[in-house]
Amino acid sequence: MTDQTCDIRPISPADLVHQFEDLCGLLRDCVQEGAAIGFLAAITQEEAERFWRRDIGAALASGERVLLGAYLGRRLVGTVQVILAMPQNQPHRAEIAKMMVHPQSRRRRVGHALMDRALAEARSAGRTLVTLDTRTGDVSELFYDSVGFQKAGVIPDYAYDPDGQTLHGTTLMYRAV
């Protein structure tokens, strides 16, 4: 793949329907390559469809979260979610969730472009603090550190790796926006 500018844009509920197969493929490919984003490597097409339709579709429609897509040309190569629905006593906070960059598109600054736009979305929504959690010791932890997130702490044995056999810790991180 040649170097291209990465285009980041919101994915609306209507866009979700039109890009459904690409979104399901991205999710499955990332999980099968080891991404610790809440699924096991044996994720089925049905599970991926249910996630995008039920979990994400409803949250987008209600405005509880923003879904951003990263495109190289016409190809969807990454997504990130900004969760805006927070408890009543945390209206100043947003959460970054399910950041995915297709394995073939990594090391092309797609993650940086997604994070820059996600932080801008949080600021635009009036948020001043952004939080996330990531697998302890993972390359993603180094990435989040490189874009200004600070470690708040580690919870050991938080979740299983995608192999369903090995428990890993999660690192809680935060940054001001």
Side-chain angles (χ1 to χ4, degrees):
M1 183 181 289
T2 61
D3 286 341
Q4 298 174 330
T5 301
C6 185
D7 181 29
I8 307 296
R9 57 183 184 264
I11 298 175
S12 70
D15 296 332
L16 188 94
V17 171
H18 291 87
Q19 297 178 46
F20 189 67
E21 289 304 317
D22 292 338
L23 288 161
C24 288
L26 175 67
L27 175 62
R28 291 182 69 200
D29 289 347
C30 287
V31 171
Q32 289 170 354
E33 284 290 319
I37 52 176
F39 298 91
L40 297 179
I43 183 174
T44 65
Q45 181 69 16
E46 182 179 273
E47 290 168 324
E49 289 176 5
R50 186 173 38 250
F51 169 73
W52 289 113
R53 276 201 178 105
R54 185 189 65 200
D55 300 347
I56 304 309
L60 293 178
S62 70
E64 293 177 354
R65 65 179 68 199
V66 174
L67 174 62
L68 299 171
Y71 300 85
L72 290 175
R74 294 177 155 220
R75 184 171 175 238
L76 176 71
V77 296
T79 63
V80 67
Q81 297 172 40
V82 182
I83 302 173
L84 300 172
M86 291 292 135
Q88 192 176 33
N89 67 344
Q90 298 171 41
H92 64 291
R93 186 170 75 82
E95 185 174 329
I96 301 295
K98 306 269 190 280
M99 177 123 145
M100 294 181 260
V101 175
H102 194 278
Q104 294 177 350
S105 297
R106 293 181 184 156
R107 306 241 184 264
R108 291 183 166 85
R109 300 197 57 84
V110 172
H112 285 84
L114 280 166
M115 185 56 69
D116 287 348
R117 181 64 183 269
L119 295 173
E121 291 287 334
R123 271 191 303 277
S124 174
R127 302 318 198 261
T128 58
L129 179 69
V130 177
T131 62
L132 59 81
D133 70 270
T134 190
R135 180 172 41 200
T136 301
D138 195 70
V139 67
S140 60
E141 185 177 356
L142 296 173
F143 167 76
Y144 295 128
D145 180 66
S146 79
V147 295
F149 281 84
Q150 296 179 41
K151 186 189 310 189
V154 174
I155 302 171
D157 296 338
Y158 186 77
Y160 282 100
D161 280 339
D163 66 8
Q165 303 297 311
T166 309
L167 283 168
H168 67 260
T170 196
T171 301
L172 304 173
M173 303 182 86
Y174 67 95
R175 73 164 275 177
V177 292

